[in-house]
PDB file of all heavy atoms in Angstrom:
ATOM      1  N   VAL U  44     -26.353 -19.715 -23.207  1.00 82.00           N
ATOM      2  CA  VAL U  44     -24.810 -19.482 -22.871  1.00 82.00           C
ATOM      3  C   VAL U  44     -24.146 -18.893 -24.032  1.00 82.00           C
ATOM      4  O   VAL U  44     -24.459 -19.235 -25.184  1.00 82.00           O
ATOM      5  CB  VAL U  44     -24.172 -20.848 -22.336  1.00 82.00           C
ATOM      6  CG1 VAL U  44     -24.682 -21.288 -21.078  1.00 82.00           C
ATOM      7  CG2 VAL U  44     -24.286 -21.927 -23.512  1.00 82.00           C
ATOM      8  N   VAL U  45     -23.144 -18.063 -23.787  1.00 84.00           N
ATOM      9  CA  VAL U  45     -22.281 -17.562 -24.786  1.00 84.00           C
ATOM     10  C   VAL U  45     -20.907 -17.965 -24.470  1.00 84.00           C
ATOM     11  O   VAL U  45     -20.354 -17.532 -23.468  1.00 84.00           O
ATOM     12  CB  VAL U  45     -22.460 -16.035 -24.820  1.00 84.00           C
ATOM     13  CG1 VAL U  45     -21.572 -15.371 -25.954  1.00 84.00           C
ATOM     14  CG2 VAL U  45     -23.815 -15.543 -25.167  1.00 84.00           C
ATOM     15  N   PHE U  46     -20.250 -18.740 -25.318  1.00 81.00           N
ATOM     16  CA  PHE U  46     -18.849 -19.253 -24.983  1.00 81.00           C
ATOM     17  C   PHE U  46     -18.815 -19.785 -23.593  1.00 81.00           C
ATOM     18  O   PHE U  46     -17.793 -19.745 -22.942  1.00 81.00           O
ATOM     19  CB  PHE U  46     -17.824 -18.159 -25.172  1.00 81.00           C
ATOM     20  CG  PHE U  46     -17.753 -17.543 -26.501  1.00 81.00           C
ATOM     21  CD1 PHE U  46     -18.042 -16.296 -26.871  1.00 81.00           C
ATOM     22  CD2 PHE U  46     -17.397 -18.408 -27.633  1.00 81.00           C
ATOM     23  CE1 PHE U  46     -17.948 -15.933 -28.037  1.00 81.00           C
ATOM     24  CE2 PHE U  46     -17.163 -18.020 -28.961  1.00 81.00           C
ATOM     25  CZ  PHE U  46     -17.601 -16.589 -29.259  1.00 81.00           C
ATOM     26  N   GLY U  47     -19.812 -20.539 -23.172  1.00 78.00           N
ATOM     27  CA  GLY U  47     -19.817 -21.185 -21.841  1.00 78.00           C
ATOM     28  C   GLY U  47     -20.286 -20.336 -20.743  1.00 78.00           C
ATOM     29  O   GLY U  47     -20.215 -20.860 -19.584  1.00 78.00           O
ATOM     30  N   PHE U  48     -20.497 -18.989 -20.869  1.00 85.00           N
ATOM     31  CA  PHE U  48     -20.862 -18.065 -19.849  1.00 85.00           C
ATOM     32  C   PHE U  48     -22.360 -17.811 -20.022  1.00 85.00           C
ATOM     33  O   PHE U  48     -22.854 -17.711 -21.097  1.00 85.00           O
ATOM     34  CB  PHE U  48     -20.010 -16.822 -19.829  1.00 85.00           C
ATOM     35  CG  PHE U  48     -18.570 -17.131 -19.694  1.00 85.00           C
ATOM     36  CD1 PHE U  48     -17.727 -17.075 -20.851  1.00 85.00           C
ATOM     37  CD2 PHE U  48     -17.983 -17.543 -18.354  1.00 85.00           C
ATOM     38  CE1 PHE U  48     -16.250 -17.340 -20.589  1.00 85.00           C
ATOM     39  CE2 PHE U  48     -16.684 -17.762 -18.254  1.00 85.00           C
ATOM     40  CZ  PHE U  48     -15.739 -17.709 -19.304  1.00 85.00           C
ATOM     41  N   PRO U  49     -22.967 -17.340 -18.831  1.00 87.00           N
ATOM     42  CA  PRO U  49     -24.309 -16.773 -18.975  1.00 87.00           C
ATOM     43  C   PRO U  49     -24.229 -15.497 -19.775  1.00 87.00           C
ATOM     44  O   PRO U  49     -23.347 -14.767 -19.723  1.00 87.00           O
ATOM     45  CB  PRO U  49     -24.766 -16.469 -17.444  1.00 87.00           C
ATOM     46  CG  PRO U  49     -23.774 -17.348 -16.651  1.00 87.00           C
ATOM     47  CD  PRO U  49     -22.482 -17.463 -17.440  1.00 87.00           C
ATOM     48  N   PRO U  50     -25.238 -15.211 -20.552  1.00 90.00           N
ATOM     49  CA  PRO U  50     -25.200 -13.946 -21.570  1.00 90.00           C
ATOM     50  C   PRO U  50     -24.822 -12.683 -20.775  1.00 90.00           C
ATOM     51  O   PRO U  50     -23.972 -11.840 -21.328  1.00 90.00           O
ATOM     52  CB  PRO U  50     -26.653 -13.896 -22.074  1.00 90.00           C
ATOM     53  CG  PRO U  50     -27.067 -15.361 -21.937  1.00 90.00           C
ATOM     54  CD  PRO U  50     -26.611 -15.922 -20.809  1.00 90.00           C
ATOM     55  N   ALA U  51     -25.292 -12.414 -19.573  1.00 90.00           N
ATOM     56  CA  ALA U  51     -25.161 -11.249 -18.915  1.00 90.00           C
ATOM     57  C   ALA U  51     -23.577 -11.069 -18.570  1.00 90.00           C
ATOM     58  O   ALA U  51     -22.956  -9.985 -18.620  1.00 90.00           O
ATOM     59  CB  ALA U  51     -25.877 -11.034 -17.629  1.00 90.00           C
ATOM     60  N   VAL U  52     -23.027 -12.142 -18.051  1.00 91.00           N
ATOM     61  CA  VAL U  52     -21.584 -12.193 -17.754  1.00 91.00           C
ATOM     62  C   VAL U  52     -20.810 -12.064 -18.988  1.00 91.00           C
ATOM     63  O   VAL U  52     -19.847 -11.295 -19.068  1.00 91.00           O
ATOM     64  CB  VAL U  52     -21.297 -13.525 -17.070  1.00 91.00           C
ATOM     65  CG1 VAL U  52     -19.776 -13.659 -16.622  1.00 91.00           C
ATOM     66  CG2 VAL U  52     -22.078 -13.477 -15.730  1.00 91.00           C
ATOM     67  N   ALA U  53     -21.088 -12.753 -20.131  1.00 92.00           N
ATOM     68  CA  ALA U  53     -20.403 -12.617 -21.314  1.00 92.00           C
ATOM     69  C   ALA U  53     -20.468 -11.223 -21.880  1.00 92.00           C
ATOM     70  O   ALA U  53     -19.437 -10.727 -22.416  1.00 92.00           O
ATOM     71  CB  ALA U  53     -20.967 -13.717 -22.280  1.00 92.00           C
ATOM     72  N   TRP U  54     -21.460 -10.472 -21.702  1.00 94.00           N
ATOM     73  CA  TRP U  54     -21.686  -9.078 -22.108  1.00 94.00           C
ATOM     74  C   TRP U  54     -20.655  -8.311 -21.358  1.00 94.00           C
ATOM     75  O   TRP U  54     -19.974  -7.363 -21.889  1.00 94.00           O
ATOM     76  CB  TRP U  54     -23.049  -8.612 -21.955  1.00 94.00           C
ATOM     77  CG  TRP U  54     -23.166  -7.198 -22.034  1.00 94.00           C
ATOM     78  CD1 TRP U  54     -23.383  -6.226 -21.166  1.00 94.00           C
ATOM     79  CD2 TRP U  54     -23.047  -6.434 -23.425  1.00 94.00           C
ATOM     80  NE1 TRP U  54     -23.496  -4.992 -21.739  1.00 94.00           N
ATOM     81  CE2 TRP U  54     -23.172  -5.125 -23.099  1.00 94.00           C
ATOM     82  CE3 TRP U  54     -22.767  -6.864 -24.650  1.00 94.00           C
ATOM     83  CZ2 TRP U  54     -23.136  -4.142 -24.055  1.00 94.00           C
ATOM     84  CZ3 TRP U  54     -22.819  -5.881 -25.683  1.00 94.00           C
ATOM     85  CH2 TRP U  54     -22.904  -4.535 -25.329  1.00 94.00           C
ATOM     86  N   LEU U  55     -20.495  -8.515 -20.036  1.00 94.00           N
ATOM     87  CA  LEU U  55     -19.633  -7.668 -19.292  1.00 94.00           C
ATOM     88  C   LEU U  55     -18.142  -7.959 -19.695  1.00 94.00           C
ATOM     89  O   LEU U  55     -17.312  -6.951 -19.648  1.00 94.00           O
ATOM     90  CB  LEU U  55     -19.790  -7.988 -17.822  1.00 94.00           C
ATOM     91  CG  LEU U  55     -21.045  -7.330 -17.179  1.00 94.00           C
ATOM     92  CD1 LEU U  55     -21.190  -7.742 -15.734  1.00 94.00           C
ATOM     93  CD2 LEU U  55     -21.107  -5.908 -17.262  1.00 94.00           C
ATOM     94  N   PHE U  56     -17.878  -9.285 -20.073  1.00 94.00           N
ATOM     95  CA  PHE U  56     -16.515  -9.552 -20.603  1.00 94.00           C
ATOM     96  C   PHE U  56     -16.330  -8.692 -21.782  1.00 94.00           C
ATOM     97  O   PHE U  56     -15.248  -8.081 -22.027  1.00 94.00           O
ATOM     98  CB  PHE U  56     -16.424 -10.993 -20.843  1.00 94.00           C
ATOM     99  CG  PHE U  56     -16.358 -11.870 -19.576  1.00 94.00           C
ATOM    100  CD1 PHE U  56     -16.689 -13.154 -19.651  1.00 94.00           C
ATOM    101  CD2 PHE U  56     -15.882 -11.393 -18.391  1.00 94.00           C
ATOM    102  CE1 PHE U  56     -16.722 -14.009 -18.522  1.00 94.00           C
ATOM    103  CE2 PHE U  56     -15.922 -12.100 -17.271  1.00 94.00           C
ATOM    104  CZ  PHE U  56     -16.324 -13.440 -17.286  1.00 94.00           C
ATOM    105  N   ALA U  57     -17.354  -8.617 -22.702  1.00 95.00           N
ATOM    106  CA  ALA U  57     -17.218  -7.781 -23.912  1.00 95.00           C
ATOM    107  C   ALA U  57     -17.030  -6.374 -23.608  1.00 95.00           C
ATOM    108  O   ALA U  57     -16.300  -5.601 -24.293  1.00 95.00           O
ATOM    109  CB  ALA U  57     -18.481  -8.027 -24.821  1.00 95.00           C
ATOM    110  N   CYS U  58     -17.652  -5.899 -22.585  1.00 96.00           N
ATOM    111  CA  CYS U  58     -17.498  -4.464 -22.080  1.00 96.00           C
ATOM    112  C   CYS U  58     -16.029  -4.142 -21.712  1.00 96.00           C
ATOM    113  O   CYS U  58     -15.626  -2.953 -21.819  1.00 96.00           O
ATOM    114  CB  CYS U  58     -18.385  -4.142 -20.983  1.00 96.00           C
ATOM    115  SG  CYS U  58     -20.121  -4.036 -21.564  1.00 96.00           S
ATOM    116  N   MET U  59     -15.338  -5.197 -21.348  1.00 95.00           N
ATOM    117  CA  MET U  59     -13.932  -4.908 -21.084  1.00 95.00           C
ATOM    118  C   MET U  59     -13.083  -4.396 -22.231  1.00 95.00           C
ATOM    119  O   MET U  59     -11.996  -3.831 -22.109  1.00 95.00           O
ATOM    120  CB  MET U  59     -13.190  -6.152 -20.447  1.00 95.00           C
ATOM    121  CG  MET U  59     -13.747  -6.519 -19.111  1.00 95.00           C
ATOM    122  SD  MET U  59     -13.173  -8.178 -18.559  1.00 95.00           S
ATOM    123  CE  MET U  59     -14.235  -8.364 -17.122  1.00 95.00           C
ATOM    124  N   VAL U  60     -13.640  -4.650 -23.413  1.00 95.00           N
ATOM    125  CA  VAL U  60     -13.016  -4.035 -24.583  1.00 95.00           C
ATOM    126  C   VAL U  60     -13.831  -2.815 -25.134  1.00 95.00           C
ATOM    127  O   VAL U  60     -13.291  -1.845 -25.579  1.00 95.00           O
ATOM    128  CB  VAL U  60     -13.004  -5.243 -25.676  1.00 95.00           C
ATOM    129  CG1 VAL U  60     -12.481  -4.628 -27.067  1.00 95.00           C
ATOM    130  CG2 VAL U  60     -12.169  -6.390 -25.235  1.00 95.00           C
ATOM    131  N   LEU U  61     -15.212  -2.889 -24.944  1.00 96.00           N
ATOM    132  CA  LEU U  61     -15.967  -1.762 -25.496  1.00 96.00           C
ATOM    133  C   LEU U  61     -15.710  -0.483 -24.613  1.00 96.00           C
ATOM    134  O   LEU U  61     -15.648   0.627 -25.212  1.00 96.00           O
ATOM    135  CB  LEU U  61     -17.428  -2.188 -25.351  1.00 96.00           C
ATOM    136  CG  LEU U  61     -17.924  -3.275 -26.235  1.00 96.00           C
ATOM    137  CD1 LEU U  61     -19.314  -3.639 -26.071  1.00 96.00           C
ATOM    138  CD2 LEU U  61     -17.725  -2.888 -27.806  1.00 96.00           C
ATOM    139  N   VAL U  62     -15.540  -0.617 -23.311  1.00 96.00           N
ATOM    140  CA  VAL U  62     -15.428   0.576 -22.496  1.00 96.00           C
ATOM    141  C   VAL U  62     -14.022   1.303 -22.878  1.00 96.00           C
ATOM    142  O   VAL U  62     -14.102   2.510 -23.040  1.00 96.00           O
ATOM    143  CB  VAL U  62     -15.353   0.227 -21.066  1.00 96.00           C
ATOM    144  CG1 VAL U  62     -15.030   1.408 -20.172  1.00 96.00           C
ATOM    145  CG2 VAL U  62     -16.935  -0.128 -20.668  1.00 96.00           C
ATOM    146  N   PRO U  63     -12.928   0.528 -23.068  1.00 96.00           N
ATOM    147  CA  PRO U  63     -11.679   1.309 -23.541  1.00 96.00           C
ATOM    148  C   PRO U  63     -11.894   1.999 -24.795  1.00 96.00           C
ATOM    149  O   PRO U  63     -11.355   3.010 -25.066  1.00 96.00           O
ATOM    150  CB  PRO U  63     -10.672   0.204 -23.472  1.00 96.00           C
ATOM    151  CG  PRO U  63     -11.098  -0.850 -22.749  1.00 96.00           C
ATOM    152  CD  PRO U  63     -12.614  -0.769 -22.669  1.00 96.00           C
ATOM    153  N   CYS U  64     -12.662   1.397 -25.673  1.00 96.00           N
ATOM    154  CA  CYS U  64     -12.831   1.936 -27.037  1.00 96.00           C
ATOM    155  C   CYS U  64     -13.604   3.181 -26.851  1.00 96.00           C
ATOM    156  O   CYS U  64     -13.313   4.250 -27.640  1.00 96.00           O
ATOM    157  CB  CYS U  64     -13.673   1.062 -27.976  1.00 96.00           C
ATOM    158  SG  CYS U  64     -12.790  -0.551 -28.543  1.00 96.00           S
ATOM    159  N   CYS U  65     -14.615   3.381 -26.028  1.00 96.00           N
ATOM    160  CA  CYS U  65     -15.381   4.492 -25.755  1.00 96.00           C
ATOM    161  C   CYS U  65     -14.421   5.560 -25.314  1.00 96.00           C
ATOM    162  O   CYS U  65     -14.477   6.747 -25.727  1.00 96.00           O
ATOM    163  CB  CYS U  65     -16.515   4.202 -24.663  1.00 96.00           C
ATOM    164  SG  CYS U  65     -17.787   3.231 -25.132  1.00 96.00           S
ATOM    165  N   MET U  66     -13.561   5.258 -24.313  1.00 96.00           N
ATOM    166  CA  MET U  66     -12.708   6.263 -23.741  1.00 96.00           C
ATOM    167  C   MET U  66     -11.615   6.703 -24.795  1.00 96.00           C
ATOM    168  O   MET U  66     -11.238   7.804 -24.889  1.00 96.00           O
ATOM    169  CB  MET U  66     -11.905   5.806 -22.477  1.00 96.00           C
ATOM    170  CG  MET U  66     -12.813   5.651 -21.328  1.00 96.00           C
ATOM    171  SD  MET U  66     -11.922   5.318 -19.728  1.00 96.00           S
ATOM    172  CE  MET U  66     -11.727   3.581 -19.909  1.00 96.00           C
ATOM    173  N   ALA U  67     -11.251   5.716 -25.555  1.00 95.00           N
ATOM    174  CA  ALA U  67     -10.172   6.131 -26.627  1.00 95.00           C
ATOM    175  C   ALA U  67     -10.868   7.133 -27.646  1.00 95.00           C
ATOM    176  O   ALA U  67     -10.185   8.046 -28.047  1.00 95.00           O
ATOM    177  CB  ALA U  67      -9.626   4.883 -27.441  1.00 95.00           C
ATOM    178  N   VAL U  68     -12.115   6.881 -27.946  1.00 95.00           N
ATOM    179  CA  VAL U  68     -12.821   7.799 -28.894  1.00 95.00           C
ATOM    180  C   VAL U  68     -13.014   9.151 -28.229  1.00 95.00           C
ATOM    181  O   VAL U  68     -12.736  10.264 -28.825  1.00 95.00           O
ATOM    182  CB  VAL U  68     -14.176   7.161 -29.291  1.00 95.00           C
ATOM    183  CG1 VAL U  68     -15.032   8.261 -30.046  1.00 95.00           C
ATOM    184  CG2 VAL U  68     -13.968   5.881 -30.222  1.00 95.00           C
ATOM    185  N   ALA U  69     -13.313   9.133 -27.013  1.00 95.00           N
ATOM    186  CA  ALA U  69     -13.480  10.397 -26.160  1.00 95.00           C
ATOM    187  C   ALA U  69     -12.098  11.072 -26.165  1.00 95.00           C
ATOM    188  O   ALA U  69     -12.070  12.409 -26.333  1.00 95.00           O
ATOM    189  CB  ALA U  69     -13.926  10.163 -24.839  1.00 95.00           C
ATOM    190  N   TRP U  70     -11.008  10.411 -25.956  1.00 93.00           N
ATOM    191  CA  TRP U  70      -9.675  11.022 -26.032  1.00 93.00           C
ATOM    192  C   TRP U  70      -9.405  11.722 -27.432  1.00 93.00           C
ATOM    193  O   TRP U  70      -8.946  12.829 -27.369  1.00 93.00           O
ATOM    194  CB  TRP U  70      -8.690   9.843 -25.784  1.00 93.00           C
ATOM    195  CG  TRP U  70      -7.207  10.204 -25.877  1.00 93.00           C
ATOM    196  CD1 TRP U  70      -6.431  10.344 -27.052  1.00 93.00           C
ATOM    197  CD2 TRP U  70      -6.394  10.716 -24.892  1.00 93.00           C
ATOM    198  NE1 TRP U  70      -5.199  10.721 -26.829  1.00 93.00           N
ATOM    199  CE2 TRP U  70      -4.976  10.911 -25.524  1.00 93.00           C
ATOM    200  CE3 TRP U  70      -6.287  10.762 -23.474  1.00 93.00           C
ATOM    201  CZ2 TRP U  70      -3.888  11.280 -24.697  1.00 93.00           C
ATOM    202  CZ3 TRP U  70      -5.252  11.176 -22.824  1.00 93.00           C
ATOM    203  CH2 TRP U  70      -3.985  11.420 -23.416  1.00 93.00           C
ATOM    204  N   TRP U  71      -9.787  10.900 -28.348  1.00 92.00           N
ATOM    205  CA  TRP U  71      -9.448  11.444 -29.725  1.00 92.00           C
ATOM    206  C   TRP U  71     -10.316  12.696 -30.032  1.00 92.00           C
ATOM    207  O   TRP U  71      -9.757  13.664 -30.559  1.00 92.00           O
ATOM    208  CB  TRP U  71      -9.827  10.338 -30.765  1.00 92.00           C
ATOM    209  CG  TRP U  71      -9.648  10.703 -32.229  1.00 92.00           C
ATOM    210  CD1 TRP U  71      -8.445  10.852 -32.862  1.00 92.00           C
ATOM    211  CD2 TRP U  71     -10.637  11.110 -33.132  1.00 92.00           C
ATOM    212  NE1 TRP U  71      -8.703  11.166 -34.168  1.00 92.00           N
ATOM    213  CE2 TRP U  71     -10.013  11.336 -34.375  1.00 92.00           C
ATOM    214  CE3 TRP U  71     -12.068  11.136 -32.918  1.00 92.00           C
ATOM    215  CZ2 TRP U  71     -10.769  11.801 -35.485  1.00 92.00           C
ATOM    216  CZ3 TRP U  71     -12.836  11.464 -34.146  1.00 92.00           C
ATOM    217  CH2 TRP U  71     -12.126  11.748 -35.381  1.00 92.00           C
ATOM    218  N   LEU U  72     -11.528  12.613 -29.556  1.00 91.00           N
ATOM    219  CA  LEU U  72     -12.388  13.682 -29.842  1.00 91.00           C
ATOM    220  C   LEU U  72     -11.858  15.006 -29.077  1.00 91.00           C
ATOM    221  O   LEU U  72     -11.857  16.084 -29.320  1.00 91.00           O
ATOM    222  CB  LEU U  72     -13.926  13.470 -29.285  1.00 91.00           C
ATOM    223  CG  LEU U  72     -14.675  12.451 -30.165  1.00 91.00           C
ATOM    224  CD1 LEU U  72     -15.865  12.062 -29.562  1.00 91.00           C
ATOM    225  CD2 LEU U  72     -14.993  13.125 -31.488  1.00 91.00           C
ATOM    226  N   GLY U  73     -11.378  14.665 -27.831  1.00 86.00           N
ATOM    227  CA  GLY U  73     -10.837  15.871 -26.967  1.00 86.00           C
ATOM    228  C   GLY U  73      -9.634  16.333 -27.490  1.00 86.00           C
ATOM    229  O   GLY U  73      -9.377  17.596 -27.209  1.00 86.00           O
TER     230      GLY U  73
END
Side-chain angles (χ1 to χ4, degrees):
Chain U
V44 287
V45 180
F46 297 114
F48 298 105
V52 174
W54 171 251
L55 288 176
F56 291 154
C58 284
M59 291 172 191
V60 178
L61 294 174
V62 168
C64 289
C65 292
M66 286 190 279
V68 171
W70 170 279
W71 179 77
L72 289 170

